Amino acid sequence: MCSSDLHNGLAGPIADIAKTQRWDKLVVFAEFHGPHSFAGIHLPEDPKSLTLFDASPLRKGILPPAEFLKLFGDLEIAKFLGIVDWNRDYADRVRRGEVEGVTFEGMVAKGMVDRELVMEKAKTRAWVDKVKALHTPDEAKKILES
């Protein structure tokens, strides 16, 4: 699949959602990946996919999780793992790879606190270790801080 196929496959449904919602402009965020992609490195021969994970209508900001799921849930989106109590223990369990459904890379948690969107992320220790093994310390630091 080439990049124009990826774009054309999502552009129509996303445009339809934006029109239905009467949004003048919409920025969507997606992960570009293939079966063997790792930390932004992609093999040319791999088929590629786009997985949506956020949407930000003009003057509205990033959509709250429930609204994102309602509007974009029928498209290829990041896996919803449910509502959890995000705390230090839970994040540590993600890092150790103990939370069912978490990708090798880890997860991003989003929620609403006092009508404000809050996001946290936790990378798995295995993913961090692989980044450090494949890259120089300076390169690894850039990847891990992104």
Side-chain angles (χ1 to χ4, degrees):
M1 182 179 283
C2 72
S3 62
S4 64
D5 293 336
L6 291 170
H7 177 268
N8 293 335
L10 286 174
I14 290 170
D16 291 344
I17 291 167
K19 287 176 190 172
T20 300
Q21 296 300 309
R22 296 186 174 151
W23 295 328
D24 293 326
K25 292 185 180 182
L26 173 67
V27 175
V28 294
F29 301 88
E31 180 82 17
F32 178 78
H33 58 94
H36 301 101
S37 296
F38 179 75
I41 300 169
H42 311 286
L43 298 181
E45 64 273 12
D46 273 357
K48 308 298 185 302
S49 300
L50 283 175
T51 301
L52 296 177
F53 61 86
D54 267 327
S56 179
L58 181 66
R59 291 185 290 279
K60 190 168 178 151
I62 292 178
L63 295 176
E67 189 173 354
F68 177 81
L69 286 169
K70 178 182 171 192
L71 295 172
F72 295 93
D74 291 336
L75 301 180
E76 182 66 31
I77 65 169
K79 187 175 180 181
F80 175 65
L81 298 179
I83 298 172
V84 302
D85 181 16
W86 185 271
N87 54 38
R88 183 179 300 268
D89 179 59
Y90 189 83
D92 286 344
R93 288 181 51 229
V94 170
R95 289 182 188 101
R96 291 190 302 265
E98 298 173 355
V99 176
E100 187 175 335
V102 171
T103 68
F104 176 68
E105 184 174 351
M107 71 179 289
V108 173
K110 299 175 196 168
M112 302 302 292
V113 176
D114 297 328
R115 296 186 195 167
E116 189 171 323
L117 181 66
V118 177
M119 293 187 277
E120 294 287 338
K121 70 178 175 179
K123 301 290 190 181
T124 66
R125 173 53 48 200
W127 186 86
V128 170
D129 290 346
K130 186 172 179 179
V131 167
K132 288 179 177 180
L134 294 175
H135 297 280
T136 67
D138 286 342
E139 291 169 333
K141 182 178 179 186
K142 287 179 188 175
I143 292 168
L144 296 173
E145 291 177 352
S146 67

